[in-house]
Amino acid sequence: MVTIKQVSEKAGVSSATVSRVINDTGTVKEKTRKLVVAAMEELGYRHNVVAASLASNKTNTVGYVVPELHGSFFGSMMGGTEQSLRAARKHMLIATGHSDETIEKAQIEALLSRRCDALILHVEAVTDDYLVNLVQQGVKLVVVNRYIAEIDDNCISLDNVKGGYLATKHMLDIGHTQIAYLAGSFFKADAINRLIGHKQALSEAGLEYDASLMYEGNFQAKSGAEGIRALLAKGKLFSAVACANDEMAFGAMNALREMGKRVPEDISVIGFDNIDFASYLTPGLTTIDYPVRQIGTMAAHWVLDRVYGKGSHAFKHVLDPRLILRGTTSSPE
Amino acid sequence: MVTIKQVSEKAGVSSATVSRVINDTGTVKEKTRKLVVAAMEELGYRHNVVAASLASNKTNTVGYVVPELHGSFFGSMMGGTEQSLRAARKHMLIATGHSDETIEKAQIEALLSRRCDALILHVEAVTDDYLVNLVQQGVKLVVVNRYIAEIDDNCISLDNVKGGYLATKHMLDIGHTQIAYLAGSFFKADAINRLIGHKQALSEAGLEYDASLMYEGNFQAKSGAEGIRALLAKGKLFSAVACANDEMAFGAMNALREMGKRVPEDISVIGFDNIDFASYLTPGLTTIDYPVRQIGTMAAHWVLDRVYGKGSHAFKHVLDPRLILRGTTSSPE
DNA sequence: CAGGCAATTGTAAGCGCTTTCATTAATTAT
DNA sequence: ATAATTAATGAAAGCGCTTACAATTGCCTG
């Protein structure tokens, strides 16, 4: 491997000068700059970022922890981040936490050992205190899809309550009054918040929340179908179903059809997230858009601004969901 | 930041010994090991992997280049890789190439600058020669979803021809003889190979391939719908449609239904890839399974074996697709 | 109990770069 | 033309670790 030293000798300058042209720092006369560049090309020099990181005490890499890599959610989020980061020549070191406290901590620790300049964390098992503590230790990090009051400036999240509200509000607006709710697992804050929004819309409309019209699922398609069957088995009446996410909505629609109900003629269905496939179905799924990619972008902006001090990017801590009207909701006859 | 030196002083040993206990190399008496561990904990020592990498000339990180981060494909693939790599305490540095030659090269170069021990590349714009050249220069890399004869040992791919064959074979097996084919964009080798498989199945059955029953789309849902409309507009007759991927199949099914055709009663449809949503539909989409995650796993195994010399993992260069029977295909009446 | 061998530990030379500080060259002001 | 500035460079001290190689120590054997 050719080093800066060899380049400097070939160019007849000191290694300090070579370093200056590589990093475009300090002042270098155009003539010597060309000399150095020529030497680098001739020798096939490749900058050693590891050595540079050690010497400069910055790695230009941000660590990213997500629960899983599969599925389209985290890919979209990381895609948003990557786009912004790449423009600033920063790289991403990725790790998965599997929603397990021990693993999450180990991964964070590993990324810190690798001296990431900043961390972007989508962690679910680690406690708030642990994260607050890291921030207080001076670790630069942004927490996505999670809100922690003590470090609210480090958090970026979606207004899930508003999303839940919007979904049910839509059903109410088009005339439904008996609205079932298929919730996500209450182990997750998102599930709870979306349900809160549902209740808000109901109460705002002067309607009583009926717990027996609610079913706790787990965000998976299957649990959506199970929810529908459970509700119908109990003899519950409803003309609309609001779901905690699109996958549950798909499951619900399948179950509904199996039981001879048409969507939306007999029963309206609304999802949450607006995953790609929501629009591929016929009819397209009416849902609430979760601006995932934008969240990833915001995380990148936070890091670029606060850690790398690169100008000021557009920024928001709490992002807004919005209603996407498609074909699975209609007024009750 | 506390260093190995400080730990060594507190423990009353040399820094070499501390390094030994950290890396579990060489021989260290149990008693002194405990002394060192205690000192590390007391001081809150955090290993500096950057310095270690520079000194040892290995980073324990593998660079990953994929076209994009969004969508579920690359997430699944990287997930497979990550799982195996994590078990061996290796990390992943991720970059996107956007199917652009300049960007792909720049990213590969960047990962090399960061001294990744190995690269896993899903690149589409860079030439075969460029990759062959890298291998010859001694760069440890594995190319996924692409086959290059000169460096076949570095390639891991799916047998797309076989997949295309399997799909059409299935249609033939259940009695179809007029089978339309909605291809992906011929700019991609996958599209071409899948079509070749289709033709093979046809010829094996003694049927003539009819180019006017083929439509070149671009792997997106929309083009699947367009293909159906184009074929139908030409007055083409067919009782089955084989698609280059699931998304096109979705588009095709939507278009078919719009035109009053039932799936599978009037027309059978088969996809390719077996993405998650293929099973969420009613009826579920019959398709060809693309073992994406397994490909990611194989890439990790290759790296673990060849680069890190960690035992021998199960390995295959060419993976097999397989038929997944669901509800969108049936015998013609 | 000396000699020999293996198990432990320490010494110190880097790894390839950045960066402060000092030095020298080029300009500008006087 | 000379002093005062400013621009360009170079010298060299690390950054925090790994890893030969050397030096000790401990334990056996004869």
Side-chain angles (χ1 to χ4, degrees), chain B residues 34-51:
Chain B
K34 282 202 174 119
L35 229 51
V36 171
V37 170
M40 292 199 297
E41 303 223 312
E42 192 167 345
L43 262 36
Y45 174 74
R46 178 173 287 147
H47 191 48
N48 186 328
V49 175
V50 174

Side-chain angles (χ1 to χ4, degrees), chain A:
Chain A
M1 210 81 283
V2 15
T3 73
I4 224 179
K5 186 92 187 310
Q6 297 169 45
V7 173
S8 75
E9 280 161 5
K10 167 140 248 154
V13 299
S14 74
S15 60
T17 297
V18 177
S19 173
R20 287 187 186 103
V21 349
I22 290 172
N23 299 294
D24 197 24
T25 56
T27 51
V28 172
K29 212 191 286 178
E30 181 59 17
K31 206 171 101 191
T32 73
R33 202 186 66 74
K34 280 197 176 129
L35 229 51
V36 172
V37 170
M40 293 199 296
E41 303 222 312
E42 192 168 344
L43 262 36
Y45 174 73
R46 177 174 286 148
H47 190 47
N48 185 327
V49 174
V50 174
S53 293
L54 177 60
S56 67
N57 197 33
K58 56 200 276 272
T59 53
N60 287 310
T61 110
V62 352
Y64 219 126
V65 180
V66 292
E68 307 286 348
L69 250 19
H70 63 250
S72 60
F73 189 89
F74 299 112
S76 292
M77 188 168 88
M78 298 191 303
T81 307
E82 201 267 349
Q83 183 174 27
S84 295
L85 250 32
R86 184 158 52 87
R89 320 196 71 99
K90 306 304 176 195
H91 278 246
M92 292 177 9
L93 206 41
I94 293 188
T96 59
H98 300 276
S99 307
D100 175 290
E101 183 169 14
T102 307
I103 300 179
E104 286 181 353
K105 281 187 179 174
Q107 296 286 38
I108 290 174
E109 190 56 33
L111 293 175
L112 255 18
S113 278
R114 278 158 188 267
R115 295 300 187 268
C116 288
D117 296 327
L119 302 183
I120 295 177
L121 307 175
H122 189 307
V123 286
E124 316 188 310
V126 122
T127 64
D128 284 2
D129 282 350
Y130 173 78
L131 294 169
V132 170
N133 203 330
L134 282 180
V135 172
Q136 284 166 353
Q137 280 173 41
V139 174
K140 304 296 183 192
L141 63 84
V142 14
V143 177
V144 289
N145 294 319
R146 177 165 171 172
Y147 177 79
I148 301 174
E150 296 96 309
I151 50 172
D152 61 344
D153 182 52
N154 301 72
C155 300
I156 296 175
S157 58
L158 176 75
D159 191 339
N160 277 297
V161 173
K162 184 171 177 187
Y165 170 85
L166 252 29
T168 296
K169 177 74 163 35
H170 168 61
M171 292 298 195
L172 291 165
D173 284 349
I174 60 177
H176 295 276
T177 52
Q178 292 181 297
I179 308 172
Y181 191 86
L182 301 184
S185 134
F186 292 147
F187 164 68
K188 309 221 176 186
D190 287 7
I192 296 173
N193 289 326
R194 290 172 189 187
L195 177 55
I196 290 176
H198 167 70
K199 291 179 184 173
Q200 271 182 12
L202 247 29
S203 97
E204 188 182 288
L207 260 34
E208 189 98 12
Y209 165 67
D210 176 1
S212 70
L213 267 178
M214 189 277 289
Y215 174 88
E216 179 186 351
N218 61 4
F219 285 123
Q220 312 209 344
K222 212 181 191 180
S223 76
E226 287 161 359
I228 287 297
R229 287 188 206 109
L231 257 25
L232 253 26
K234 280 198 291 185
K236 285 291 161 187
L237 291 179
F238 52 88
S239 62
V241 187
C243 305
N245 73 349
D246 292 345
E247 307 207 3
M248 285 185 69
F250 290 133
M253 283 164 62
N254 283 172
L256 247 15
R257 291 202 183 110
E258 269 169 24
M259 311 193 70
K261 312 278 188 189
R262 291 165 305 161
V263 175
E265 294 81 356
D266 301 323
I267 301 212
S268 287
V269 174
I270 187 169
F272 198 119
D273 279 353
N274 190 26
I275 59 181
D276 289 346
F277 278 82
S279 63
Y280 288 3
L281 300 179
T282 19
L285 178 67
T286 291
T287 189
I288 300 296
D289 183 57
Y290 190 135
V292 214
R293 188 177 178 87
Q294 197 190 352
I295 286 196
T297 304
M298 288 301 121
H301 285 183
W302 192 97
V303 170
L304 256 18
D305 277 21
R306 321 280 173 111
V307 181
Y308 294 115
K310 298 261 183 191
S312 57
H313 297 77
F315 190 74
K316 262 185 102 167
H317 278 100
V318 179
L319 303 188
D320 289 316
R322 62 182 219 287
L323 178 67
I324 303 287
L325 273 177
R326 283 196 275 252
T328 56
T329 52
S330 67
S331 298
E333 74 272 0

Side-chain angles (χ1 to χ4, degrees), chain B residues 69-264:
Chain B
L69 251 19
H70 64 249
S72 60
F73 189 89
F74 299 113
S76 291
M77 189 170 86
M78 297 191 304
T81 307
E82 201 268 350
Q83 183 174 28
S84 295
L85 250 31
R86 184 158 50 87
R89 322 197 69 100
K90 306 303 175 196
H91 278 247
M92 291 175 12
L93 206 42
I94 293 187
T96 59
H98 300 276
S99 307
D100 175 289
E101 183 169 14
T102 308
I103 301 180
E104 286 180 353
K105 281 188 179 173
Q107 296 286 38
I108 290 173
E109 191 56 34
L111 293 175
L112 255 19
S113 278
R114 279 158 187 267
R115 293 302 187 267
C116 289
D117 296 327
L119 301 184
I120 294 176
L121 307 175
H122 189 306
V123 286
E124 318 189 308
V126 121
T127 65
D128 284 1
D129 282 349
Y130 174 77
L131 294 170
V132 170
N133 203 330
L134 281 180
V135 171
Q136 284 166 353
Q137 280 173 41
V139 174
K140 305 295 183 191
L141 63 85
V142 14
V143 176
V144 289
N145 294 318
R146 177 165 170 171
Y147 177 80
I148 302 174
E150 295 96 309
I151 51 172
D152 60 346
D153 183 53
N154 301 72
C155 300
I156 296 175
S157 58
L158 176 75
D159 190 339
N160 277 296
V161 174
K162 184 169 177 188
Y165 170 84
L166 252 29
T168 296
K169 177 75 162 35
H170 169 60
M171 292 297 195
L172 292 165
D173 284 348
I174 60 178
H176 294 276
T177 51
Q178 292 181 297
I179 308 173
Y181 192 86
L182 301 184
S185 131
F186 293 146
F187 164 69
K188 309 221 175 185
D190 288 6
I192 296 174
N193 289 327
R194 290 172 189 185
L195 177 56
I196 290 177
H198 166 70
K199 292 180 185 173
Q200 271 182 12
L202 247 29
S203 97
E204 188 183 289
L207 260 35
E208 190 100 10
Y209 165 68
D210 175 0
S212 71
L213 267 176
M214 190 277 289
Y215 175 86
E216 179 186 352
N218 61 5
F219 284 125
Q220 310 209 343
K222 212 180 190 178
S223 77
E226 288 161 359
I228 288 297
R229 286 189 208 108
L231 258 23
L232 252 26
K234 279 198 292 185
K236 286 292 163 189
L237 291 179
F238 52 87
S239 62
V241 186
C243 306
N245 72 349
D246 292 344
E247 307 207 4
M248 285 185 69
F250 289 132
M253 283 164 61
N254 283 173
L256 248 14
R257 292 202 182 107
E258 268 169 24
M259 312 195 69
K261 311 278 189 191
R262 290 166 307 161
V263 174

